[in-house]
Amino acid sequence: AQSRGFKEVTGTRTGYVTVDYAATAAFDVISDVHLSTSVGAQYYRKSIAGHTSRGEVFPAAGVETVSATAIRIGEESFVENKTLGMFVQEQVGWKNRIFLTGALRGDDNSAFGKNFDFVLYPKVSATWVLNEEPWWNLPGVEALKLRAAWGKAGQQPDAFAAARTYRPSVGPGGASTLTPGNVGNPDLEPEVGEELELGFDAGLLNDRLGIEFTYYDQRTKGAIVQKPALPSQGFPGVQFVNIGEVVNSGIELAVNARFLQRPTLNWETTFTLSTNHNEVLDLGGVDPGGGLQRQVVGYPLSSTFMKKIVQAELGADGKATNILCEGGDKVAGGGPPVPCSQAGTAYFGRPTPAWEGSASTSLTLFRNLRLYALVDFVGGHIRRDGDIAAAHLFFYISKEIVTRSDPFVVAYNQLGELWQTGMIEGGFAKLRNVSATYQLPRVWAQRIGADRASMTLAGENLATLWVEQCCVFGRKQVEPEIRSSTSELSDYNQEQFPQPRRLTAAFRVSF
């Protein structure tokens, strides 16, 4: 079809404009009481302009412009978003031990519905440095700071979510006309998250051990969800509405330990861990739909739901028999397995990690040589691996389906299902970075007129130390980290390259 040639030219221009202003006045009202008052404003604009020109069927060899083709197609797009915000903040400090902060920020955004003009985000926080108190005398704890904060923040809708739009179309006789596009919502507001944080920072054992701990509880109210547009409105597709509520909670922990601190030897280790529990609390009665990933009350965001076989046997003819599925959303309270024709869709997992963290260590020898290593890890989520599923039940090239040796793979094939054979636990741990840095003697650097000079050898993504699940029905995954989509809420991956191993050498000079 393309034997006579085609050409496509695409251009995108993205522009950002930001204007920020802030002013702070600090003064003492009475002894030991310090005030700090801040005001400010921010303006932000982002625009994306794109155009595409495509031509098909060139008249002769050597003619290479789109305008010379027999069939020409042109497209143009422009998206713009603007935000104007202002804030005022007051901080009160007492004896440099207790600090109270209160602030209020107001935002207006061009994507808000026309009936919604302005949103206010308050916040309050408090910090108490206990070790500065004269009565403090806790052996082994040199520093302890307690902190608490509460506040609100928002996420504006997509650029055209609130606007009623029409699409250009070709009408009778080839005339240009318009057809309904997006129904819009003049009352659309931003998603507003309300978060409480409680935590402490501590220094122990002559500050050889440092601990930072935070507990957070966030509730997003008025979450923007899609509901089918009413046919009576005369618009197809979906409408964006503020009816959802989502909760996120968890902890964040960081521990830094200095095991050795000597003139020629220093050894430090850092460990971090964070957890997350998220759950959809309310959808305002909107039907979650029937997609593989959807929002369901009582489950994490964008969880995956499909029929799940829990029992299958292979008959003498190589076909699956005695196939039973988990009852899923058609059976109240779960219940016992049922014939798959009577089963609903069952929960497979969440796309975002329930826990993640890292461990790093740094060893300095003779003051000049620093050795460093970093391992990071994630887990508690699932991935939908299209490469594995396609090998089983699209291309039919896996051993399990070719030899008909796995009753579950055969059963899913008989049911006309595909993606279940690619669902895999997504946890992994990687040796992310290893490096060695040598600080050259200062006299060497001074010979070239420099103040300092160093050499570094480093390796990145050197090894996968652990995977939560290696295979699905005998088919091995290529790489546990990659995903096809840039969205954190997508569980899908197919035909993506693994993270590359990199070896680098660097010579740095400071003048």
Side-chain angles (χ1 to χ4, degrees):
Q2 306 295 344
S3 61
R4 299 190 65 183
F6 76 95
K7 182 179 182 179
E8 184 171 285
V9 180
T10 299
T12 301
R13 183 177 68 255
T14 303
Y16 299 92
V17 176
T18 60
V19 179
D20 291 273
Y21 176 80
T24 300
F27 49 91
D28 296 323
V29 287
I30 58 175
S31 178
D32 297 327
V33 177
H34 180 78
L35 297 183
S36 180
T37 304
S38 301
V39 295
Q42 180 186 59
Y43 171 79
Y44 174 81
R45 174 183 178 271
K46 177 182 178 181
S47 63
I48 303 176
H51 64 84
T52 299
S53 303
R54 180 183 173 93
E56 300 178 2
V57 185
F58 289 103
V63 181
E64 298 179 351
T65 61
V66 172
S67 59
T69 56
I71 304 173
R72 295 185 292 275
I73 303 171
E75 295 181 0
E76 184 180 13
S77 64
F78 180 77
V79 178
E80 184 181 54
N81 185 270
K82 299 178 181 179
T83 298
L84 176 64
M86 294 177 286
F87 75 91
V88 59
Q89 176 176 289
E90 186 68 50
Q91 184 182 74
V92 181
W94 182 71
K95 291 187 176 181
N96 204 33
R97 302 173 194 166
I98 297 178
F99 301 90
L100 302 175
T101 301
L104 184 66
R105 178 186 173 100
D107 276 356
D108 193 10
N109 185 271
S110 59
F112 293 167
K114 66 179 182 179
N115 295 338
F116 183 81
D117 293 327
F118 205 67
V119 60
L120 294 175
Y121 301 124
K123 77 167 185 178
V124 292
S125 64
T127 302
W128 185 12
V129 186
L130 269 74
N131 58 281
E132 294 289 336
E133 296 290 350
W135 46 262
W136 180 260
N137 185 22
L138 186 60
V141 182
E142 289 74 38
L144 181 60
K145 178 172 68 175
L146 303 180
R147 44 186 168 77
W150 172 89
K152 291 185 177 183
Q155 173 67 45
Q156 69 265 21
D158 289 338
F160 294 108
R164 175 163 293 189
T165 60
Y166 296 84
R167 298 193 304 265
S169 180
V170 178
S176 179
T177 184
L178 294 174
T179 61
N182 178 46
V183 64
N185 181 0
D187 299 317
L188 193 63
E189 305 176 5
E191 294 184 350
V192 177
E194 179 180 327
E195 183 168 353
L196 173 68
E197 289 189 2
L198 303 171
F200 68 87
D201 304 329
L204 297 82
L205 307 177
N206 293 324
D207 286 335
R208 289 182 176 271
L209 181 65
I211 301 175
E212 297 178 13
F213 176 84
T214 300
Y215 166 79
Y216 67 91
D217 185 282
Q218 181 193 68
R219 292 177 182 266
T220 301
K221 299 180 180 179
I224 300 173
V225 300
Q226 300 178 20
K227 73 171 185 178
L230 295 176
S232 60
Q233 295 175 305
F235 282 77
V238 298
Q239 183 181 35
F240 292 90
V241 292
N242 296 97
I243 54 177
E245 183 175 355
V246 179
V247 62
N248 275 279
S249 61
I251 65 165
E252 297 173 350
L253 172 68
V255 180
N256 181 268
R258 287 184 292 168
F259 295 108
L260 293 173
Q261 190 174 14
R262 297 177 180 176
T264 60
L265 181 62
N266 194 312
W267 181 22
E268 294 185 14
T269 296
T270 300
F271 175 80
T272 68
L273 175 67
S274 64
T275 66
N276 174 265
H277 165 78
N278 77 76
E279 181 181 340
V280 178
L281 298 181
D282 182 30
L283 287 175
V286 171
D287 185 351
L292 297 183
Q293 284 189 262
R294 56 185 186 265
Q295 318 303 344
V296 178
V297 173
Y299 290 89
L301 282 168
S302 294
S303 294
T304 300
F305 293 86
M306 294 181 290
K307 285 185 181 292
K308 181 184 289 186
I309 295 176
V310 296
Q311 175 183 305
E313 300 174 1
L314 283 176
D317 56 357
K319 294 183 178 180
T321 61
N322 298 325
I323 305 173
L324 296 178
C325 284
E326 186 176 311
D329 47 24
K330 281 191 177 181
V331 178
V338 298
C340 293
S341 60
Q342 303 173 17
T345 55
Y347 173 69
F348 272 74
R350 54 183 282 177
T352 54
W355 48 267
E356 56 187 306
S358 66
S360 64
T361 186
S362 174
L363 181 64
T364 303
L365 303 172
F366 312 112
R367 299 180 179 178
N368 292 330
L369 179 62
R370 180 175 181 266
L371 306 177
Y372 175 80
L374 170 67
V375 173
D376 59 27
F377 51 88
V378 299
H381 63 295
I382 52 95
R383 293 172 56 250
R384 182 159 44 101
D385 195 311
D387 297 313
I388 295 178
H392 286 308
L393 298 182
F394 187 81
F395 296 109
Y396 296 101
I397 58 173
S398 71
K399 176 183 177 182
E400 287 67 29
I401 191 63
V402 170
T403 61
R404 307 185 74 79
S405 58
D406 192 299
F408 283 80
V409 174
V410 175
Y412 278 123
N413 187 47
Q414 290 177 195
L415 293 178
E417 302 286 341
L418 167 65
W419 297 116
Q420 293 90 331
T421 60
M423 300 305 298
I424 190 168
E425 299 290 340
F428 66 88
K430 284 198 170 189
L431 180 59
R432 188 66 68 183
N433 187 284
V434 174
S435 66
T437 300
Y438 181 67
Q439 193 75 33
L440 298 177
R442 198 160 191 173
V443 294
W444 293 11
Q446 291 173 344
R447 291 178 183 176
I448 60 173
D451 182 56
R452 296 185 304 276
S454 65
M455 299 177 60
T456 300
L457 295 176
E460 298 178 16
N461 303 312
L462 297 182
T464 300
L465 305 179
W466 166 78
V467 291
E468 193 170 357
Q469 183 178 349
C470 73
C471 318
V472 186
F473 298 118
R475 189 76 177 187
K476 190 176 181 179
Q477 65 172 324
V478 175
E479 165 63 48
E481 188 172 9
I482 53 179
R483 293 186 182 181
S484 296
S485 173
T486 57
S487 170
E488 294 181 359
L489 293 179
S490 173
D491 65 0
Y492 184 64
N493 166 69
Q494 187 169 345
E495 298 175 350
Q496 298 294 306
F497 287 103
Q499 290 280 357
R501 291 190 181 98
R502 294 206 314 166
L503 299 175
T504 61
F507 180 69
R508 294 180 175 86
V509 181
S510 300
F511 293 93

